[in-house]
Amino acid sequence: MEFFIANMAPIMFATLVVFLLLGFPVAFALAANGIFYGLIGIELGLFTPALFQALPQRVFGIMANDTLLAVPFFTFMGLILERSGMAEDLLETIGQLFGPLRGGLAIAVVLVGAMLAATTGVVSASVISMGLISLPIMLRYGYDRRLATGVIAASGTLSQIIPPSLVLIILADQLGRSIGDMYRGAIVPGFALTGLYILYVTVLSWLRPKAAPAIPEEARSFVEPNGSRGIPSLLVLMAIAVTAAVSWIVFLMRDNAPVDEKVVLGILVWGAVAFVLAVVNKLLRLGLLSQIAERVTFVLIPPLALIFLVLGTIFIGVATPTEGGAMGAVGAIIMAVMRKRLSWSLLRQAMDTTSTLSCFVVFILIGSTVFGLTFRGVSGDLWVEHLLIGLPGGEMGFLIVVSLMTFVLAFFLDFFELAFIIVPLLGPVADKMGIDLIWFGVLLAVNMQTSFMHPPFGFALFYLRSVAPKEDYKDRVTGKTIAKVTTGQIYWGSVPFIIIQLLMVALVLAFPGMVTHYRHEATGVNPESIVIDFDKAYGGETRYGDDSLPPGAEQDASPEVSNSDEELNNLFK
């Protein structure tokens, strides 16, 4: 019995892991363990029943948490945009733009994945959309199956790190930090990871041309009457827009503005200038832009403008993340109406999915609160703290062990389970060691991406398996028989991208400035250096209750001031 009492915290944690591996729902496994071991702890005298009296107040605190309102808002925004046909339009347009290049379709998938990540924030929606639309096209033109499936699954997981990500909202809430700061910190690693994916596809298509061929001439839709593709006019339009954006950043923004603010506002200016020029060209029928230039502008700019308008208002402090999410949801509905894609059926599907996901998050949060209450009651937080602080290597040793532990647990747990179970235990330890919690949260978010890519339990792989062809089929365009995609090909295709994700974890560890640039707006005031002396009166050396004035002050003192001092003295007496 003494052994059980002394080791109740690790036993409780091990029991939770067993329940999760057996397939019990996460929320109920957390709550059941918390209540069960709480009753045992009360029976053994480890704590009093009064501990559970704090539980109702904590549950109501969860329901009153305004931060969590960002989850349904951003989810709803993404679902409306995705189900109104945005993914199809983006893949078709960017595919035609990059298709003539070797590896162009794969690059298009990565770019569309990044854009869907910034709108949907939901991995399943991104992977399924791109699997249904782009996988048949890539197979039609002879792409290597492992590359095609790997790039689709990996691009879908960008939803975990690129704002406005649901994972970042949950991590910010669990770590007690601002969602806006978490978004600021994650934007550079998110874009850097997108760039690494594109670099990998480019190098592979150069080394193995047959693995990622260009689309043939007959498959290219946007061709000018003279036979050209119209790329020069697109480049000129983009050059004008980029010049305007750079000029805005250099001449109209303050020099010490954060990197993320410059990036977001620069992209907004770039999109606005390009869109206005394209609209003027179309309305006045000037004929200065090619088909591909108009198509790229009218398809890409509106969703990009909505994304960066939402993020921009958050970054510059005009709106909170919750308000930004609400604005994004309204903007998504307006865009769907303008595209004539909004219907009651689509609206109901989006609301049903949003409600389901929001309830899922809240139930897990309530379960983790019950578990955490009992776990701290049996000194589980101290057990974790002593276990991790004593690791060799100090702060770096702690971060390496946490990264490895997260990577291994990601084989069995998804990101919600990791965020609600592991982060509340690790966050206080990291804070006590002086680690920046925003940087720590982004590091965990990049690492948690691998939970969707791990064979054999990665959810992104399951989503892709559900839409990939399981049998040989005849292509409706070419009439050729296309071989099926095997599960082994999907698993092997994910391995290079898991390595890239781990490389990104190493880069965030090695270069903290990728994340900590969010602090550049700080005033530099150390709160510990602020001293408030209540023994002195406002504006002088007079002490309350002391009738004397400093030398030379008699001629400056007015009756009103004297009366005010007398009233204050009487008040404090």
Side-chain angles (χ1 to χ4, degrees):
M1 184 60 69
E2 292 182 1
F3 175 82
F4 181 80
I5 294 175
N7 296 277
M8 191 167 173
I11 292 172
M12 183 178 176
F13 187 78
T15 306
L16 173 65
V17 173
V18 170
F19 271 92
L20 293 176
L21 293 177
L22 289 175
F24 281 90
V26 181
F28 301 113
L30 285 165
N33 269 276
I35 294 173
F36 176 70
Y37 282 98
L39 295 174
I40 292 177
I42 293 171
E43 192 67 29
L44 296 176
L46 296 178
F47 44 80
T48 65
L51 180 71
F52 278 111
Q53 292 179 1
L55 191 57
Q57 188 175 3
R58 291 196 177 198
V59 172
F60 281 112
I62 294 170
M63 304 306 297
N65 188 352
D66 291 341
T67 302
L68 294 176
L69 278 174
V71 173
F73 284 143
F74 282 120
T75 304
F76 183 78
M77 178 186 81
L79 290 170
I80 289 291
L81 290 176
E82 184 261 327
R83 298 191 181 191
S84 63
M86 185 188 72
E88 291 91 332
D89 292 343
L90 288 174
L91 281 168
E92 180 186 357
T93 302
I94 301 180
Q96 287 292 326
L97 181 62
F98 289 98
L101 304 175
R102 283 190 303 191
L105 286 177
I107 293 173
V109 167
V110 175
L111 293 174
V112 173
M115 290 191 65
L116 291 178
T119 55
T120 63
V122 181
V123 172
S124 59
S126 299
V127 174
I128 291 173
S129 296
M130 293 190 295
L132 287 171
I133 301 163
S134 61
L135 184 58
I137 300 174
M138 298 172 83
L139 297 179
R140 177 184 304 155
Y141 297 123
Y143 265 69
D144 181 88
R145 280 166 167 69
R146 288 177 294 182
L147 173 62
T149 55
V151 78
I152 291 173
S155 300
T157 62
L158 288 171
S159 300
Q160 303 300 289
I161 190 63
I162 294 181
S165 162
L166 299 184
V167 176
L168 297 177
I169 296 173
I170 300 300
L171 287 173
D173 179 69
Q174 292 295 297
L175 292 171
R177 290 298 183 265
S178 162
I179 297 176
D181 286 344
M182 192 69 78
Y183 281 176
R184 286 175 180 269
I187 196 165
V188 173
F191 286 151
L193 188 59
T194 304
L196 288 177
Y197 288 165
I198 293 175
L199 179 63
Y200 168 72
V201 171
T202 303
V203 172
L204 183 66
S205 60
W206 180 67
L207 295 175
R208 295 173 51 202
K210 292 184 178 179
I215 63 173
E217 288 283 348
E218 60 271 14
R220 301 173 191 177
S221 304
F222 302 105
V223 180
E224 297 301 298
N226 61 3
S228 68
R229 297 186 54 237
I231 297 298
S233 69
L234 175 62
L235 294 177
V236 170
L237 178 64
M238 293 299 108
I240 295 172
V242 168
T243 302
V246 172
S247 301
W248 177 280
I249 293 172
V250 173
F251 298 111
L252 297 179
M253 292 187 69
R254 63 187 191 279
D255 294 335
N256 62 343
V259 176
D260 45 53
E261 187 175 318
K262 290 181 179 179
V263 170
V264 170
L265 292 181
I267 291 177
L268 273 176
V269 173
W270 163 80
V273 171
F275 193 78
V276 168
L277 291 177
V279 169
V280 170
N281 177 76
K282 191 174 184 67
L283 291 178
L284 300 181
R285 299 181 180 179
L286 300 177
L288 298 176
L289 295 180
S290 61
Q291 296 180 52
I292 189 69
E294 286 194 352
R295 175 76 178 182
V296 167
T297 304
F298 291 132
V299 170
L300 260 66
I301 300 299
L304 275 177
L306 178 63
I307 295 163
F308 287 100
L309 183 63
V310 170
L311 294 180
T313 54
I314 295 171
F315 286 173
I316 64 178
V318 175
T320 65
T322 301
E323 293 165 347
M327 184 174 63
V330 174
I333 292 176
I334 293 173
M335 285 182 57
V337 170
M338 292 174 62
R339 293 156 61 93
K340 300 180 181 179
R341 302 278 183 88
L342 188 67
S343 64
W344 284 111
S345 174
L346 184 150
L347 197 60
R348 177 166 183 168
Q349 289 176 12
M351 293 177 70
D352 285 346
T353 305
T354 301
S355 302
T356 302
L357 184 62
S358 301
C359 292
F360 176 68
V361 170
V362 171
F363 264 97
I364 292 183
L365 191 51
I366 291 173
S368 68
T369 300
V370 177
F371 179 84
L373 189 66
T374 302
F375 195 70
R376 286 177 174 80
V378 298
S379 301
D381 52 339
L382 298 178
W383 168 68
V384 174
E385 182 179 316
H386 294 156
L387 190 67
L388 295 176
I389 287 183
L391 291 170
E395 180 181 311
M396 186 54 66
F398 165 76
L399 290 170
I400 292 173
V401 169
V402 166
S403 298
L404 291 174
M405 181 178 68
T406 306
F407 178 74
V408 173
L409 288 174
F411 276 93
F412 315 103
L413 306 175
D414 71 3
F415 75 93
F416 272 130
E417 296 164 359
L418 291 170
F420 285 120
I421 298 171
I422 303 300
V423 175
L425 303 179
L426 300 178
V429 181
D431 193 29
K432 195 165 188 176
M433 295 180 75
I435 297 171
D436 186 297
L437 290 186
I438 295 294
W439 177 57
F440 185 64
V442 173
L443 179 68
L444 289 177
V446 176
N447 207 332
M448 285 180 189
Q449 275 192 297
T450 59
S451 69
F452 280 91
M453 295 288 290
H454 278 317
F457 301 116
F459 283 96
L461 308 182
F462 287 141
Y463 298 144
L464 186 57
R465 174 69 280 176
S466 68
V467 297
K470 300 178 179 63
E471 303 292 339
D472 296 352
Y473 69 96
K474 181 175 288 188
D475 183 68
R476 58 183 178 82
V477 175
T478 62
K480 297 179 181 179
T481 300
I482 307 293
K484 63 182 180 181
V485 175
T486 66
T487 303
Q489 289 170 339
I490 295 176
Y491 285 170
W492 280 110
S494 68
V495 172
F497 293 94
I498 293 175
I499 295 172
I500 294 174
Q501 290 173 347
L502 294 179
L503 174 62
M504 194 68 230
V505 173
L507 289 175
V508 173
L509 273 173
F511 303 101
M514 296 177 69
V515 177
T516 55
H517 63 82
Y518 81 93
R519 294 185 297 193
H520 285 179
E521 279 189 311
T523 59
V525 177
N526 182 4
E528 296 181 1
S529 67
I530 300 174
V531 177
I532 301 176
D533 190 352
F534 290 101
D535 198 31
K536 293 183 180 179
Y538 301 106
E541 297 296 329
T542 305
R543 300 178 184 276
Y544 296 125
D546 186 359
D547 294 333
S548 63
L549 289 172
E554 290 84 355
Q555 53 269 51
D556 295 329
S558 63
E560 290 80 4
V561 175
S562 299
N563 291 337
S564 177
D565 286 343
E566 186 176 349
E567 290 173 4
L568 285 172
N569 290 335
N570 293 334
L571 177 64
F572 280 95
K573 287 177 183 178

